[in-house]
Amino acid sequence: MKIHFIFTLAFSFMMSFLLSAWVTYVNLGLSDTFVQSWLTAFINAWPAAFLVAFTVAPPIRAVVIKLINKDER
């Protein structure tokens, strides 16, 4: 559980950081307010990304394991 928590924390941080930058850039371009808008989007996105990843990752992992084991038979 500790590994799942720390992995999800790091993974959700990086995904939120990069995707919020990308979406902010697509919507605003490199404007004067880019950095502030990006940081606001990131701060709002990270908690949601963490909760979603923490709750959804285990069942998705189970499905992937079943699919891989099915293909290897």
Side-chain angles (χ1 to χ4, degrees):
M1 183 64 123
K2 184 178 178 181
I3 291 172
H4 177 59
F5 181 83
I6 293 171
F7 173 81
T8 304
L9 194 67
F11 183 74
S12 63
F13 176 88
M14 188 56 64
M15 289 293 292
S16 297
F17 187 77
L18 295 173
L19 286 174
S20 62
W22 176 251
V23 172
T24 302
Y25 172 75
V26 167
N27 287 321
L28 301 178
L30 291 176
S31 67
D32 294 340
T33 61
F34 174 79
V35 173
Q36 181 62 40
S37 298
W38 172 21
L39 293 176
T40 300
F42 167 67
I43 288 168
N44 287 311
W46 188 18
F50 175 80
L51 289 174
V52 169
F54 192 79
T55 57
V56 173
I60 291 176
R61 180 177 179 195
V63 169
V64 169
I65 288 170
K66 285 181 182 180
L67 289 172
I68 289 172
N69 287 338
K70 183 179 178 181
D71 288 343
E72 291 179 354
R73 291 181 191 169

